[in-house]
Amino acid sequence: MDALGYIDCGDNRDRIVFPWLRELITAKNPSNVLDFGCGDARFALQLSRLVPAQIAAYERDPHMREQARLRIAAESGNVTLCEQPSAGWTKKFDAIFLQGVWMCWSTRAECLDTLRLLARSLAPGGLLIASVTHPCFRDQRFATYRTDFNRARYLDNGVPFTVFVGTPGAETPIVDTHWNIEDTLNQALEAGLTLTRVKEHADGPAGTLPSWISFVFTPSPGAIFE
């Protein structure tokens, strides 16, 4: 991934998804938060200014992780960059954010392994809030992204497609993987998570299609995490 190109591309999550997430997390008032797949940590740092929680940020891409490190170092706050998932995460976090990450997992096994890691990292009553580009409308052009996804393949899970992020003339291509809503929810169920809320984020004024969708999960009652 071109980390700097992606950071500067103007992804509209900041405008249409993050405000709703900030409202949700302020109401939750958590003590420990994990931003999993934090990118350049801009959202983790936004959260640090809203709640007094201890915020852990994890990013697996080394180039993006370096950008996160620089941002965090520039602010004295309550965000800690994690190099790897830790055994100390077990039942630790009151809230876990998974923003634009689910589409980066290229196999169903990777989806399940990661979701299970996050499910067992939730404290009792904790929330996992996951946002993805809306699977139902991936063939549409939106304000800050378009794709080459073929809608005829909506039911075919695990299909790679290219996303062009940014405004026309300043786009950065990335490769994502398609998981339809049915399989997205089934993966969460298999991983030990229960859906409690869904939010579709309109790309613009009322009446426009949603470009992003968010799911809120809690640990399933009686789930056993090995």
Side-chain angles (χ1 to χ4, degrees):
M1 176 191 291
D2 177 2
L4 290 176
Y6 182 75
I7 290 168
D8 294 336
C9 69
D11 180 354
N12 67 352
R13 273 179 297 175
D14 293 45
R15 177 176 58 81
I16 66 171
V17 181
F18 286 2
W20 180 78
L21 297 175
R22 290 194 294 267
E23 181 179 329
L24 195 66
I25 201 66
T26 301
K28 178 69 174 173
N29 193 27
S31 298
N32 289 285
V33 174
L34 171 62
D35 187 4
F36 190 91
C38 67
D40 64 346
R42 70 184 186 273
F43 180 55
L45 290 166
Q46 286 182 35
L47 291 179
S48 74
R49 303 178 199 117
L50 289 176
V51 293
Q54 294 300 309
I55 301 173
Y58 169 73
E59 173 57 52
R60 72 176 183 179
D61 180 85
H63 303 292
M64 195 68 81
R65 187 167 61 244
E66 182 58 26
Q67 297 306 309
R69 191 186 315 280
L70 293 171
R71 275 183 177 264
I72 292 169
E75 295 195 26
S76 57
N78 50 345
V79 179
T80 301
L81 186 64
C82 302
E83 296 295 331
Q84 293 293 337
S86 164
W89 286 5
T90 301
K91 295 185 178 180
K92 178 177 181 179
F93 299 107
D94 307 303
I96 297 176
F97 289 94
L98 192 64
Q99 303 305 307
V101 180
W102 208 318
M103 309 93 73
C104 299
W105 304 331
S106 59
T107 68
R108 199 171 192 275
E110 184 180 11
C111 292
L112 291 175
D113 286 347
T114 311
L115 290 171
R116 286 172 180 142
L117 164 69
L118 298 179
R120 65 176 175 262
S121 299
L122 282 171
L127 301 179
L128 170 62
I129 305 104
S131 301
V132 298
T133 53
H134 204 304
C136 298
F137 304 110
R138 287 196 167 130
D139 61 329
Q140 301 295 308
R141 179 186 289 270
F142 291 107
T144 59
Y145 78 82
R146 62 183 176 87
T147 81
D148 65 358
F149 183 71
N150 180 356
R151 190 172 185 175
R153 300 202 66 184
Y154 175 79
L155 293 177
D156 299 332
N157 290 296
V159 176
F161 63 99
T162 303
V163 186
F164 303 90
V165 186
T167 55
E171 295 173 320
T172 296
I174 60 174
V175 176
D176 277 346
T177 303
H178 173 71
W179 309 104
N180 63 29
I181 288 182
E182 176 184 354
D183 199 45
T184 296
L185 298 181
N186 283 337
Q187 289 173 23
L189 181 64
E190 291 174 42
L193 295 163
T194 296
L195 180 70
T196 63
R197 186 175 178 183
V198 178
K199 171 67 176 178
E200 293 179 300
H201 305 277
D203 197 62
T208 59
L209 292 173
S211 53
W212 285 81
I213 184 169
S214 296
F215 304 97
V216 182
F217 302 99
T218 58
S220 298
I224 298 173
F225 304 111
E226 300 178 356

